[in-house]
Amino acid sequence: MHPRTAQAGAFFCTDTEQLLDKPFLAFDERAAINAGRWFASLSAPLRHDILRSAYVRRFKDSEIICARGDPARVWAAVARGAVRVGGSPDAGKPVTLTYVEPGAWIGDIGIFGGGIRTHDAYAHGDTTLLQVSHDDLLRILEVHVELYGALLRLNAGRLRHMFRQIEDLNTLPLRARLATKLKSLMRSYGMPLRPDSGEIRIGLSLAQQDLAGLLGASRQRVNRELKLMEREETIRVNQGSLVVRCPETLSRIARRA
């Protein structure tokens, strides 16, 4: 089926067990797109034309989405799961730079900045992308001049985030950087464990090695800090998941930097 025969704005799927076979968004996936801060800031006509031009792609866990050097043909939003962005150095293990959460848009840098992908991207968990082709993106820009300024704001936000990460890496102790990262993951992927407990489960499953890579530290050092936070009853580490037992304490650790 050609993607244009099943556009994102036309249909919705409620049977999540069959999502991988469905060429349209589930209700919660559409909600994740609409809840994205940047997308929600656009005018209603622009949002409508983006959704009308978009199509759905689904990827299984660890499936490659694009590789460094591939032609940049699509602009995309994450509707479910996460996109792990990184690279494969000539020597050593692959490096994870970031995880892109639901509601975030990616791919425009490759389209406007040379026409090729600068990093590898993989699905982290079963992942749904809402994609707009290069040609359709250019057509939308012709109709909606507003999108030029919106894309500038989007990339300015990315730059601010990158500078903040560089500053944290050079000025904050690992304990504070870890607390800050866990707070960020909790905001993007947090789910209440039980209504009355106050505990938050981070739904994104990360290996300690990947978490260490995001923090610019060794796995051993990150493991020590996690164990210390466990002894302090700030978090609880289960196999394949992490629970924040006391979000207020986590915030205090991050502020003490």
Side-chain angles (χ1 to χ4, degrees):
M1 178 181 291
H2 191 278
R4 290 294 176 274
T5 64
Q7 293 178 343
F11 304 101
F12 298 96
C13 173
T14 57
D15 185 357
T16 54
E17 292 182 356
Q18 299 178 9
L19 277 178
L20 278 175
D21 299 325
K22 299 297 183 183
F24 37 83
L25 292 178
F27 283 108
D28 60 332
E29 293 173 335
R30 177 66 178 267
I33 297 294
N34 288 333
R37 182 179 301 178
W38 179 81
F39 188 71
S41 73
L42 306 179
S43 68
L46 176 53
R47 295 197 307 271
H48 174 269
D49 282 357
I50 291 173
L51 293 175
R52 186 180 63 176
S53 301
Y55 58 95
V56 174
R57 287 286 309 279
R58 300 187 187 280
F59 299 87
K60 296 181 179 179
D61 182 36
S62 300
E63 185 176 352
I64 189 166
I65 296 170
C66 67
R68 185 194 300 265
D70 284 351
R73 296 194 178 103
V74 297
W75 180 47
V78 182
R80 180 187 296 272
V83 175
R84 177 170 62 84
V85 179
S88 300
D90 294 335
K93 297 181 179 179
V95 175
T96 297
L97 300 176
T98 191
Y99 289 87
V100 184
E101 70 274 10
W105 289 77
I106 54 175
D108 46 286
I109 291 177
I111 289 176
F112 297 112
I116 61 170
R117 297 301 182 203
T118 56
H119 295 87
D120 302 327
Y122 293 86
H124 189 79
D126 291 339
T127 297
T128 302
L129 297 185
L130 185 65
Q131 297 188 331
V132 178
S133 73
H134 170 274
D135 291 343
D136 281 342
L137 175 57
L138 296 184
R139 278 192 284 269
I140 294 170
L141 281 165
E142 289 178 358
V143 176
H144 298 277
V145 178
E146 166 196 352
L147 186 53
Y148 284 100
L151 288 172
L152 285 174
R153 291 196 305 274
L154 180 62
N155 282 286
R158 290 170 179 154
L159 278 174
R160 283 196 299 270
H161 180 67
M162 182 185 71
F163 289 148
R164 190 160 52 244
Q165 285 186 312
I166 293 172
E167 181 181 11
D168 288 351
L169 185 63
N170 286 279
T171 61
L172 299 185
L174 176 58
R175 178 175 170 82
R177 299 204 309 274
L178 176 58
T180 300
K181 177 57 66 176
L182 293 180
K183 281 183 59 183
S184 175
L185 293 172
M186 186 176 64
R187 284 194 297 268
S188 298
Y189 296 99
M191 299 175 290
L193 198 62
R194 291 184 304 276
D196 58 342
S197 71
E199 296 183 342
I200 305 294
R201 178 181 176 274
I202 295 177
L204 185 71
S205 178
L206 288 182
Q208 284 191 15
Q209 186 62 49
D210 290 333
L211 183 58
L214 293 174
L215 295 169
S218 68
R219 186 192 63 78
Q220 291 79 8
R221 290 183 63 205
V222 169
N223 182 58
R224 285 197 295 270
E225 294 294 346
L226 289 171
K227 288 185 180 301
L228 176 58
M229 288 184 183
E230 274 197 289
R231 289 196 296 272
E232 296 169 342
E233 298 186 346
T234 303
I235 64 171
R236 181 171 65 252
V237 179
N238 298 328
Q239 187 172 6
S241 68
L242 186 146
V243 174
V244 178
R245 301 183 64 183
C246 185
E248 294 79 9
T249 301
L250 197 65
S251 295
R252 284 198 297 270
I253 293 171
R255 287 197 300 267
R256 283 174 186 165

